[in-house]
Amino acid sequence: MSKSIKLAILGLGTVGTGVINLINDNLGELKRRSGRDIIITEVGTRRQRDDIDASIIQNDDLMAIAASDNVDIVIEVIGGTTLAKDVIMHAIKHGKHVVTANKALLAEHGNEIFALAEANNVHVAYEAAVAGGIPIIKVMREALAANKVDWLAGIINGTGNFIMSEMRDTGRPFVDVLAEAQALGYAEADPTFDVEGIDAAHKLALLASIAFGIPLQFDKVYCEGITGITLQDVNYAEELGYRIKHVGFAVRRTNDKGKEGIELRVHPTLIPQNTLLANVNGVKNAVLVNSHPLGQTLYYGDGAGAGATASAVMADVMDLVRVLGSNDPSLTGQQGHHVPHLSFLPELLSDTPILRAEQMITGYYLRVHAYDNPGVLADITRILSDAGINIDAILQKPAHKVGQVPIIILTLPVIESQMNLAIAKIEKLDSVTDKVVRIRLDELA
Amino acid sequence: MSKSIKLAILGLGTVGTGVINLINDNLGELKRRSGRDIIITEVGTRRQRDDIDASIIQNDDLMAIAASDNVDIVIEVIGGTTLAKDVIMHAIKHGKHVVTANKALLAEHGNEIFALAEANNVHVAYEAAVAGGIPIIKVMREALAANKVDWLAGIINGTGNFIMSEMRDTGRPFVDVLAEAQALGYAEADPTFDVEGIDAAHKLALLASIAFGIPLQFDKVYCEGITGITLQDVNYAEELGYRIKHVGFAVRRTNDKGKEGIELRVHPTLIPQNTLLANVNGVKNAVLVNSHPLGQTLYYGDGAGAGATASAVMADVMDLVRVLGSNDPSLTGQQGHHVPHLSFLPELLSDTPILRAEQMITGYYLRVHAYDNPGVLADITRILSDAGINIDAILQKPAHKVGQVPIIILTLPVIESQMNLAIAKIEKLDSVTDKVVRIRLDELA
């Protein structure tokens, strides 16, 4: 064993503690795989902890740790986008490699952070930022490096997937299941980030950049949560052979003139019941990637939790130790050629535009409530047909209010602007009684 | 773009042609991700091909190509364990990095090949050797590098999985479906390697080494194929909530005295219907890995085919280009610290023994045929109970021969030697009419 690798862990919450436990549990495996001693030299924590090995320096001054000569790699697991950013920028300027699990920070400030890292010849590794323990960042950046990615579809928020799974399995409404998720610790007291899709949008922005070689553009992700999903729609979807999941999509589109655009969107989606993705249940995550020439591959596992996140954090550490190790004894500076932060070379990122919502193309599930008059179905299907929208299936259910029937329509993929126009016309029909409920649909084919 | 990377492709069959097509299709993506030109300079082919770009030298002398100054990386896709071995050893001695898809060669001669590569400071990369386009080698060697692997279970032979899927879906017997697989080009004229489990055993030997840090020990893999699986058993399994798949298992065991041993086995296995692995159908492959602290993760995709295999081959090339590139302008020699071939440092591989079949622990599906005498069930269950074998489920079916009934028994995990003794006793019962059919069972929990 040559030089020891010295780690600092900033933040001793669930993940930070998980990293310490992993190193304690698996030190033998780490050494056998890296040929190095890996030791934690400093931890950043606000209050002194007596359950930490006495050899580790505890310090509440994170900026001091980030600049310490006693540290090779800084692991940031404090979260948030303010102090975390300051500390990471400081560490980079002091020539430290950084490992972070902070999806919000990278999705919103990653372009700036990665540029500083390039300029300082250090790495900012972030496997734990997307899909927890599933190594989707490494897979996309390295394993699929010879592929052209056509699209990816991910269940990348465990809380949301737990809620959708439970609604279906137990027939309870959204609010009930959300309360259970909060009681189980899967959802925060303020669940906005999870149930409104913001957390998934952060992760999707990262996945899309490394899939297509575009700058991070979190602000352009179309984002729709699961708060409006009713049991009625969950059940109709099942009856038609689909399942409603909260899915993030990044899709490369080429228009008639050969111009490329990219769809970035997270929203509830009907997907076929017999796909693996539809059978990813509870808090589990999975990402399905369709690329050329590989075709479809799927990656599945725990998207959160101390063990899964620590696994991803330490995979990044092992990469730094193994690949940069001996060519660069100080573990800083001059490591030269490597895997670019966003998979593609910074100067070769593409300015392919992110499409506006109205330009996106998806199938649709529509639930229309109408008086059971003769001709209403003909009126609706005529409107869809006039808009060039192809119907894949229709289900007319018995009336549940006097004289009113729910009509369920599945459509083939259509440009959203066309669907908006058609729905506006349908809602103007005299026999239609309510706003049309619409949920996107994808065959994942 | 600095220096070009010069590739030689040895063998222009399905995979070699797939690599050429991939480079033609995705050259832009390759350059954007690596910052280099990647060019094929030489190909090894027995007969001159006129569909190959004229700038590429065609040569039937593979040894000359392996030693050519015009080549940085040698891609071996000729297959077999004789010429392929000679060529790879020759390339290594001439300081070339090697990328190979040759599972048989590595499983049988990998220890020798990797040792020569270490001595010559070059890499032999082999992502395509296991599970085709699924990046399971990179995942195990790098993404799970901080984990202790407890076990893995893989559907790693597409032909076998196609046959098992079709038998279940269409109710046709093994021989019929095998003939269809041969007509579709999924199975060879001589299907032995696939249906007897040898191909899966090759891949399992590789997976086990990088999971546990042990030398390659193909000769110690317990290997059972699918030729004996009947529709009757497929249907009984379904009725009990299971599905029969051909699965490769690598399992770390610790005995009462704390001594570790490893089970390496490929065999038909009942797995629960509701697991993702049970829903991997047709020629698809998947590997489920249970590791600490990550827990279960699953990797799914195409296990064979030109595109999938080319994707894996070129992922290895991209790794070599990106990671070794600039620290080592010649792309040979002195690349120093890196990911060890078998994930663990050669000098730190472990001599943990591979367990003999009699020492292995699995659940069992038993089908016993007996005369429908009073007391026969009591006799059988008594024998199992005396051997310390716990019964999980029993299904007694109506007689299909006069007076004879099939009795299906599922057991909890038991040491195989105990099961052997119990079955011998059951077969000696007067009322038992046939050999006991046994198939292993795993809850994947």
Side-chain angles (χ1 to χ4, degrees):
Chain A
M1 304 281 165
S2 48
K3 179 174 176 299
S4 302
I5 305 298
K6 290 174 284 186
L7 309 182
I9 302 175
L10 306 185
L12 286 185
T14 308
V15 178
T17 308
V19 172
I20 293 178
N21 290 341
L22 186 156
I23 294 174
N24 286 338
D25 290 353
N26 289 358
L27 195 56
E29 303 287 279
L30 298 176
K31 281 188 188 174
R32 280 217 294 148
R33 287 199 183 97
S34 68
R36 304 245 175 186
D37 271 319
I38 293 176
I39 53 175
I40 303 166
T41 52
E42 306 197 12
V43 294
T45 173
R46 247 171 296 184
R47 55 180 184 78
Q48 204 69 9
R49 292 260 298 250
D50 53 13
D51 57 338
I52 302 291
D53 192 283
S55 66
I56 301 173
I57 298 166
Q58 300 190 34
N59 192 340
D60 61 0
D61 183 349
L62 304 188
M63 298 297 265
I65 298 176
S68 167
D69 289 340
N70 196 29
V71 171
D72 299 313
I73 299 171
V74 171
I75 298 171
E76 181 275 306
V77 284
I78 54 176
T81 57
T82 50
L83 176 59
K85 186 183 176 199
D86 294 341
V87 170
I88 286 176
M89 300 296 268
H90 198 61
I92 292 170
K93 286 177 192 156
H94 283 82
K96 312 296 181 196
H97 298 297
V98 174
V99 175
T100 176
N102 197 328
K103 62 216 80 166
L105 176 62
L106 292 181
E108 296 179 21
H109 304 285
N111 295 323
E112 179 187 354
I113 291 168
F114 294 144
L116 189 69
E118 301 280 347
N120 284 272
N121 246 326
V122 297
H123 291 269
V124 176
Y126 55 95
E127 182 65 72
V130 181
I134 305 170
I136 191 66
I137 300 295
K138 177 173 280 284
V139 164
M140 300 288 298
R141 293 205 316 167
E142 303 176 34
L144 304 190
N147 280 263
K148 183 161 185 180
V149 177
D150 297 316
W151 54 262
L152 62 86
I155 293 176
I156 46 182
N157 179 271
T159 311
N161 198 48
F162 173 82
I163 293 172
M164 295 308 304
S165 302
E166 286 290 303
M167 284 177 70
R168 171 187 164 257
D169 291 350
T170 66
R172 285 179 299 153
F174 174 80
V175 285
D176 276 23
V177 179
L178 173 59
E180 186 194 351
Q182 288 171 317
L184 288 167
Y186 294 155
E188 311 277 336
D190 176 358
T192 309
F193 259 51
D194 291 322
V195 299
E196 297 295 354
I198 301 162
D199 174 74
H202 280 141
K203 295 166 182 165
L204 187 76
L206 283 161
L207 287 177
S209 280
I210 59 178
F212 303 126
I214 55 173
L216 291 159
Q217 291 162 83
F218 165 67
D219 56 324
K220 291 187 184 154
V221 180
Y222 171 81
C223 186
E224 195 179 307
I226 57 173
T227 54
I229 299 296
T230 65
L231 276 176
Q232 199 181 354
D233 296 316
V234 168
N235 293 334
Y236 289 151
E238 289 288 327
E239 195 172 337
L240 288 157
Y242 293 83
R243 194 155 293 161
I244 305 179
K245 291 287 189 185
H246 192 250
V247 184
F249 288 92
V251 184
R252 188 198 300 268
R253 298 276 185 206
T254 308
N255 71 11
D256 304 344
K257 292 156 201 143
K259 191 166 152 39
E260 282 195 348
I262 288 163
E263 293 180 7
L264 298 184
R265 47 190 168 84
V266 301
H267 49 72
T269 315
L270 277 77
I271 58 177
Q273 274 164 12
N274 64 357
T275 55
L276 289 186
L277 204 62
N279 291 284
V280 170
N281 293 319
V283 294
K284 299 288 184 182
N285 282 17
V287 181
L288 175 65
V289 185
N290 195 54
S291 63
H292 173 78
L294 173 54
Q296 292 195 2
T297 50
L298 178 132
Y299 309 90
Y300 163 90
D302 278 349
T309 311
S311 164
V313 164
M314 287 302 297
D316 282 341
V317 170
M318 289 293 279
D319 266 358
L320 291 168
V321 171
R322 283 167 150 186
V323 177
L324 303 179
S326 70
N327 279 320
D328 178 24
S330 73
L331 249 184
T332 58
Q334 265 76 52
Q335 69 279 35
H337 221 66
H338 62 84
V339 183
H341 285 105
L342 292 177
S343 189
F344 295 76
L345 271 62
E347 66 273 24
L348 298 178
L349 291 180
S350 135
D351 60 357
T352 308
I354 309 302
L355 299 173
R356 287 172 293 110
E358 305 78 57
Q359 300 172 293
M360 294 176 179
I361 301 171
T362 67
Y364 275 93
Y365 160 103
L366 304 178
R367 173 159 55 84
V368 185
H369 283 258
Y371 289 111
D372 195 6
N373 297 338
V376 60
L377 202 55
D379 289 342
I380 293 170
T381 53
R382 166 65 56 198
I383 290 171
L384 292 172
S385 160
D386 286 348
I389 299 169
N390 291 306
I391 294 171
D392 192 41
I394 291 191
L395 182 70
Q396 183 167 334
K397 300 301 292 184
H400 62 85
K401 287 187 209 166
V402 180
Q404 282 186 37
V405 289
I407 301 167
I408 313 298
I409 299 168
L410 306 187
T411 80
L412 297 185
V414 50
I415 294 186
E416 183 148 330
S417 55
Q418 281 298 92
M419 182 53 85
N420 292 344
L421 292 173
I423 287 178
K425 283 186 190 163
I426 290 171
E427 288 176 345
K428 279 192 192 129
L429 290 173
D430 288 339
S431 38
V432 169
T433 59
D434 288 301
K435 285 287 220 185
V436 173
V437 171
R438 58 153 105 180
I439 306 173
R440 290 176 184 77
L441 180 152
D442 200 301
E443 297 289 344
L444 303 177
Chain B
M1 304 282 162
S2 48
K3 179 176 179 296
S4 303
I5 305 298
K6 291 174 283 186
L7 310 183
I9 302 176
L10 306 185
L12 286 185
T14 309
V15 178
T17 308
V19 172
I20 293 177
N21 291 341
L22 185 156
I23 292 174
N24 287 339
D25 291 352
N26 290 355
L27 194 57
E29 302 288 279
L30 298 177
K31 280 189 190 174
R32 282 217 293 148
R33 287 198 183 98
S34 68
R36 306 245 174 187
D37 271 318
I38 294 175
I39 53 176
I40 303 167
T41 53
E42 306 196 12
V43 295
T45 172
R46 246 170 297 183
R47 55 179 184 79
Q48 204 71 7
R49 291 262 296 250
D50 53 13
D51 58 337
I52 301 291
D53 192 283
S55 67
I56 301 173
I57 298 166
Q58 300 190 33
N59 193 340
D60 62 358
D61 183 348
L62 304 189
M63 298 297 263
I65 299 177
S68 167
D69 288 340
N70 196 29
V71 171
D72 299 313
I73 300 172
V74 172
I75 298 172
E76 181 275 306
V77 284
I78 52 176
T81 56
T82 51
L83 175 59
K85 186 183 174 196
D86 292 342
V87 170
I88 287 177
M89 301 295 268
H90 197 61
I92 292 170
K93 285 176 193 157
H94 284 82
K96 311 295 180 197
H97 298 295
V98 174
V99 176
T100 176
N102 197 326
K103 63 217 80 167
L105 176 62
L106 292 181
E108 295 178 23
H109 303 284
N111 295 322
E112 179 187 354
I113 291 168
F114 294 144
L116 188 70
E118 300 279 347
N120 284 274
N121 245 326
V122 298
H123 291 268
V124 176
Y126 55 94
E127 182 65 72
V130 182
I134 305 172
I136 191 64
I137 300 295
K138 177 173 280 284
V139 164
M140 299 288 298
R141 291 205 317 167
E142 302 176 34
L144 304 190
N147 280 262
K148 183 163 186 178
V149 177
D150 297 317
W151 54 261
L152 62 85
I155 294 176
I156 46 182
N157 179 271
T159 310
N161 198 48
F162 173 81
I163 292 172
M164 294 309 304
S165 303
E166 285 292 302
M167 283 177 69
R168 169 185 166 258
D169 291 349
T170 65
R172 286 178 300 153
F174 174 79
V175 284
D176 276 24
V177 179
L178 173 59
E180 185 195 350
Q182 287 170 319
L184 289 168
Y186 295 155
E188 310 277 336
D190 175 358
T192 309
F193 258 51
D194 291 322
V195 300
E196 297 296 354
I198 300 162
D199 175 74
H202 280 141
K203 296 166 180 166
L204 187 76
L206 282 161
L207 288 178
S209 281
I210 59 178
F212 303 126
I214 54 175
L216 290 159
Q217 291 161 84
F218 165 68
D219 55 324
K220 293 189 181 151
V221 180
Y222 171 82
C223 186
E224 195 180 307
I226 56 172
T227 54
I229 298 296
T230 66
L231 276 176
Q232 198 181 355
D233 295 316
V234 168
N235 293 333
Y236 289 151
E238 289 288 326
E239 195 172 336
L240 288 158
Y242 293 83
R243 194 154 294 160
I244 305 180
K245 291 286 187 184
H246 191 250
V247 183
F249 287 91
V251 184
R252 188 198 298 269
R253 298 277 185 205
T254 308
N255 71 10
D256 304 345
K257 292 156 200 144
K259 192 166 151 37
E260 282 194 348
I262 288 164
E263 294 181 7
L264 297 184
R265 47 191 168 84
V266 301
H267 49 71
T269 315
L270 278 76
I271 58 178
Q273 274 165 12
N274 63 357
T275 56
L276 289 185
L277 203 61
N279 291 284
V280 170
N281 294 319
V283 294
K284 299 288 183 181
N285 282 16
V287 182
L288 175 64
V289 185
N290 194 54
S291 64
H292 173 78
L294 173 54
Q296 292 194 4
T297 50
L298 178 133
Y299 309 91
Y300 164 90
D302 278 349
T309 311
S311 164
V313 164
M314 287 302 297
D316 281 342
V317 169
M318 289 293 279
D319 266 358
L320 291 168
V321 172
R322 284 167 149 187
V323 177
L324 304 179
S326 70
N327 279 319
D328 179 24
S330 73
L331 249 184
T332 57
Q334 267 75 52
Q335 68 280 38
H337 220 67
H338 63 83
V339 183
H341 285 105
L342 292 177
S343 188
F344 294 75
L345 272 63
E347 65 273 25
L348 298 179
L349 291 180
S350 134
D351 60 357
T352 308
I354 310 302
L355 299 174
R356 288 173 292 110
E358 307 78 54
Q359 299 171 294
M360 293 175 179
I361 300 171
T362 67
Y364 274 93
Y365 160 103
L366 304 178
R367 173 159 57 84
V368 186
H369 283 258
Y371 289 111
D372 195 6
N373 296 339
V376 60
L377 201 56
D379 289 343
I380 293 169
T381 53
R382 166 63 56 197
I383 289 171
L384 292 172
S385 158
D386 286 350
I389 298 169
N390 292 304
I391 294 171
D392 193 40
I394 291 190
L395 181 69
Q396 184 166 333
K397 302 300 295 184
H400 64 86
K401 290 187 207 167
V402 180
Q404 280 184 38
V405 289
I407 301 166
I408 313 299
I409 299 168
L410 306 186
T411 79
L412 296 185
V414 50
I415 293 186
E416 184 149 329
S417 55
Q418 281 298 94
M419 182 54 84
N420 292 344
L421 292 174
I423 286 177
K425 283 187 189 163
I426 290 171
E427 288 176 343
K428 280 193 192 129
L429 289 173
D430 287 339
S431 37
V432 169
T433 59
D434 288 299
K435 285 287 218 187
V436 173
V437 171
R438 58 154 105 182
I439 306 173
R440 288 176 185 77
L441 180 152
D442 200 301
E443 297 290 344
L444 303 177

